[in-house]
Amino acid sequence: MFELEAQMNRLIYNVTNNTNNEEMPSQLTVTSWNDMPFSGIVEENGKWVGKGYAFYIFDLLSTKLNFTYTIIPPKEHILGDKSSGILGLLYEKKVDVAVAFLPVLPEIGQYCTFSAPLDETKLTAVMKRPQESATGSGLLAPFERTVWLLVLVSLIFVGPIIYLFASMRAKLWHDPSSENFSLPSCFWFVYSSLLKQGTNIVATTVVDSTRMLFATWWIFILILTSFYTANLTAFLTKPQFTLSISSLQDIVHKGYSWITYKGRTIDFLLSQNQENDLSLLNVSKLQGKGVFKYYEHSRAILESVTTKRLFLAETHYLQTLIFKDYMNKTRHHLQHNSRCTYVIMPGSILITSRAFGFPHGSTFEKRINRLLLRLIETGIIHRTKKEDLPLAEICPVDLRSSERQLRNTDLLLTYKVVVGGYTIAAIIFLFEFIYAFILYRVQNGKRKACCYLPYCGRNEKPQNPLNTNLPAQNYMMMLKRSPPAIYQHPDNVLIQKKQQFINGRSYYVVTNPYGDRKLIPIRTPSAFLFQYAA
């Protein structure tokens, strides 16, 4: 640090010697505003005194250039226009310099000129740290919404595509008996493959093109489930916290409300008639989601911030506010997660330079700029800004907590799937019962109608649904959605009643009408859930 100050003094000495012949007044009139830690003015013993980074630099200039200054505070601590604020004082030439970090904007050029750029600032947003990450939680977290929608679309359309190919081939080859797949059986094949369950529809496949369709779907399911399992494991073991906003577009399109200081950079740009980088915020401003407040204490402005209401300001200023809030909660011995109540948006809404302001036609602007440029090149401004903040990042977006326990919300989708599945099954069962009851009533009505014929008995009693003359298997066939399994076909004959164990699995040996023998694996009890996939 001492070496840096010595180098700075040598540079200032050289610049001072080169500019001694230029006229420099001994007394300057300056203005500033409250924008700590960058600049601030307070009244002490009836005299206005400057504070912050800006006056630290300006005091160095006054020492080397041998001038003193008097502070004239503005009536309002805002940028203003021709008749108000800091810009009004500069435009009317009531002050010689505006000692503040003013934004270098083309819209301000009509009121004043700027010194050499002091730094580059980013305007961003601070919000209350949400409880849940923007990536979501539970079983849906590994994939984005677009991926889930595409998976759903594939589940809907792959079944009809297989059915269409099989039907077209049967018609082109004039062989209706080949690959006699029904549309429900194709749907069940797609669904059972997703859950890695067996299906008997493949046993009746005799064409390579259809087998390629099946193999393609299996490869797709294999890759999909592998990625899902890997991402879900990574999410549960090492989660990464993210925010739902990272740009100006996210703030506007996702309906966030926001607060900012009145008369500062954002308010000034939004009040302009021409298009600029922040014009998109006018959309939410017209919707009543923008609030402008005068400069106030840091705690008061942070208390108005929520997970859906943002505070828009300069990044370094927001870091200072969060650091003060963090230190205050540390003194109260709160836990680490409870100290980081607020978080800064990782992106920015505006990037601009900042500098001192001069009235148009200033006679000593060049002399101050040359010396100021030397100070900037030494890195003194960057070093001064870092003195008020710790080296480590305070309250980052991801707190990097190694603890991760499954919560009930992580399994919420599992509960919904179970409840939804049983509900759908109950609804289908109700429709099947109603269908069977209506069919019974129709058949019973026909019997009653035949009683009016001469050959029909008059004393026939209405039959109970349980004692109907229709065989019970007829009702089952009406409700059946797909053909039976190949080993359930009446043309197939079991050659051997006992089980045969081959490579650790149980098989039945069956023969088809052509005399060909096939090994049919005996399915597990869970496979009976997919009976209609046969």
Side-chain angles (χ1 to χ4, degrees):
M1 183 176 67
F2 295 105
E3 183 180 355
L4 178 62
E5 291 182 354
Q7 181 182 4
M8 180 188 66
N9 290 330
R10 288 195 298 269
L11 291 172
I12 293 176
Y13 177 77
N14 294 333
V15 174
T16 305
N17 290 338
N18 294 334
T19 57
N20 280 335
N21 55 348
E22 296 182 7
E23 182 180 357
M24 186 69 194
S26 60
Q27 179 71 27
L28 296 181
T29 304
V30 303
T31 188
S32 185
W33 61 6
N34 289 327
D35 186 26
M36 293 299 292
F38 300 101
S39 63
I41 51 177
V42 294
E43 191 174 8
E44 297 180 357
N45 300 324
K47 181 181 179 181
W48 289 98
V49 179
K51 304 289 184 179
Y53 307 147
F55 281 96
Y56 171 74
I57 298 171
F58 198 71
D59 287 340
L60 292 176
L61 297 177
S62 65
T63 302
K64 298 303 178 181
L65 296 178
N66 297 320
F67 67 84
T68 59
Y69 61 89
T70 304
I71 299 176
I72 298 179
K75 294 182 179 180
E76 293 181 298
H77 289 249
I78 60 175
L79 285 173
D81 50 21
K82 294 181 180 180
S83 58
S84 63
I86 291 182
L87 298 182
L89 295 176
L90 292 174
Y91 184 78
E92 296 175 355
K93 298 184 179 180
K94 294 182 179 180
V95 295
D96 299 315
V97 185
V99 185
F101 281 64
L102 301 179
V104 180
L105 301 173
E107 294 82 358
I108 301 181
Q110 58 180 320
Y111 306 107
C112 65
T113 59
F114 295 101
S115 67
L118 299 174
D119 69 348
E120 185 179 75
T121 183
K122 296 180 180 180
L123 296 180
T124 185
V126 65
M127 65 186 302
K128 202 165 187 178
R129 182 179 295 274
Q131 298 295 328
E132 298 292 339
S133 174
T135 55
S137 61
L139 302 180
L140 296 179
F143 292 156
E144 294 181 350
R145 179 181 300 179
T146 305
V147 178
W148 286 116
L149 291 177
L150 292 177
V151 171
L152 179 61
V153 169
S154 64
L155 287 174
I156 295 175
F157 286 99
V158 170
I161 290 175
I162 295 176
Y163 174 75
L164 179 63
F165 270 80
S167 301
M168 290 177 58
R169 183 192 176 281
K171 291 182 179 180
L172 292 176
W173 268 255
H174 303 288
D175 188 7
S177 61
S178 66
E179 299 181 346
N180 187 18
F181 304 149
S182 64
L183 184 60
S185 64
C186 293
F187 272 115
W188 277 110
F189 162 74
V190 173
Y191 176 69
S192 60
S193 299
L194 180 64
L195 300 181
K196 296 184 178 180
Q197 295 291 331
T199 175
N200 292 322
I201 191 175
V202 186
T204 60
T205 304
V206 295
V207 184
D208 292 336
S209 59
T210 308
R211 291 173 179 172
M212 284 300 299
L213 288 177
F214 293 163
T216 303
W217 177 248
W218 284 333
I219 293 175
F220 170 76
I221 292 301
L222 176 63
I223 297 175
L224 181 70
T225 54
S226 299
F227 275 106
Y228 176 80
T229 304
N231 288 347
L232 183 62
T233 304
F235 173 79
L236 294 178
T237 55
K238 191 177 180 181
Q240 184 176 5
F241 192 90
T242 57
L243 297 179
S244 58
I245 55 173
S246 60
S247 63
L248 179 63
Q249 289 74 15
D250 292 337
I251 296 176
V252 177
H253 295 159
K254 295 183 179 181
Y256 281 84
S257 58
W258 45 270
I259 305 171
T260 190
Y261 284 141
K262 185 176 181 61
R264 301 303 170 98
T265 305
I266 297 176
D267 186 20
F268 179 82
L269 288 177
L270 294 182
S271 63
Q272 304 300 309
N273 296 326
Q274 61 268 27
E275 191 81 10
N276 53 64
D277 295 335
L278 297 182
S279 297
L280 189 60
L281 275 180
N282 279 320
V283 177
S284 57
K285 178 183 176 182
L286 295 176
Q287 296 174 352
K289 296 181 179 179
V291 178
F292 299 92
K293 292 186 176 182
Y294 285 101
Y295 183 87
E296 56 187 54
H297 192 264
S298 60
R299 178 173 296 181
I301 196 66
L302 285 179
E303 288 176 353
S304 59
V305 174
T306 63
T307 55
K308 295 297 292 184
R309 180 184 294 174
L310 314 175
F311 174 52
L312 309 181
E314 193 269 337
T315 303
H316 184 83
Y317 174 67
L318 295 179
Q319 291 174 346
T320 305
L321 295 185
I322 293 179
F323 179 61
K324 291 180 179 179
D325 181 74
Y326 179 86
M327 294 300 297
N328 183 49
K329 292 176 179 177
T330 303
R331 297 186 185 99
H332 290 82
H333 306 287
L334 297 180
Q335 295 183 357
H336 178 67
N337 292 340
S338 301
R339 300 172 192 172
C340 294
T341 310
Y342 305 97
V343 61
I344 298 177
M345 184 181 75
S348 61
I349 62 176
L350 179 68
I351 300 177
T352 183
S353 300
R354 293 186 296 183
F356 291 161
F358 296 96
H360 287 291
S362 176
T363 57
F364 49 85
E365 175 184 351
K366 292 183 179 179
R367 187 172 185 182
I368 291 181
N369 272 340
R370 278 195 290 267
L371 183 57
L372 184 61
L373 185 60
R374 295 293 184 178
L375 290 175
I376 296 172
E377 290 175 350
T378 60
I380 187 173
I381 297 177
H382 179 74
R383 179 179 63 85
T384 304
K385 289 170 60 177
K386 292 297 183 182
E387 287 180 351
D388 294 337
L389 293 176
L391 297 178
E393 185 179 4
I394 297 297
C395 297
V397 175
D398 189 3
L399 294 179
R400 302 179 181 89
S401 176
S402 59
E403 299 178 0
R404 182 65 168 95
Q405 293 180 339
L406 284 178
R407 294 165 295 184
N408 196 37
T409 54
D410 296 329
L411 301 176
L412 184 61
L413 181 61
T414 308
Y415 305 148
K416 292 181 179 179
V417 169
V418 173
V419 173
Y422 280 111
T423 303
I424 294 175
I427 294 174
I428 295 176
F429 173 76
L430 180 62
F431 276 104
E432 291 175 346
F433 178 79
I434 295 174
Y435 177 75
F437 180 76
I438 293 175
L439 186 62
Y440 161 74
R441 297 291 294 180
V442 171
Q443 295 292 341
N444 197 24
K446 290 181 179 180
R447 293 191 191 91
K448 290 183 178 180
C450 74
C451 293
Y452 294 99
L453 299 177
Y455 54 83
C456 182
R458 296 284 182 179
N459 297 326
E460 184 177 0
K461 297 182 180 180
Q463 296 183 359
N464 190 282
L466 299 178
N467 299 326
T468 179
N469 292 332
L470 292 177
Q473 61 180 359
N474 290 345
Y475 286 102
M476 295 302 298
M477 292 302 296
M478 288 183 294
L479 300 178
K480 203 167 185 61
R481 297 293 187 268
S482 59
I486 186 171
Y487 52 82
Q488 295 175 347
H489 199 276
D491 294 334
N492 294 332
V493 180
L494 289 175
I495 300 300
Q496 189 170 351
K497 298 295 183 179
K498 296 182 180 180
Q499 299 181 8
Q500 286 192 358
F501 291 92
I502 302 176
N503 293 332
R505 295 190 63 180
S506 300
Y507 293 86
Y508 280 128
V509 180
V510 299
T511 181
N512 58 19
Y514 304 101
D516 298 327
R517 292 185 178 182
K518 293 185 178 181
L519 294 176
I520 302 300
I522 299 176
R523 296 184 295 176
T524 59
S526 62
F528 284 99
L529 295 174
F530 307 95
Q531 178 68 25
Y532 292 127

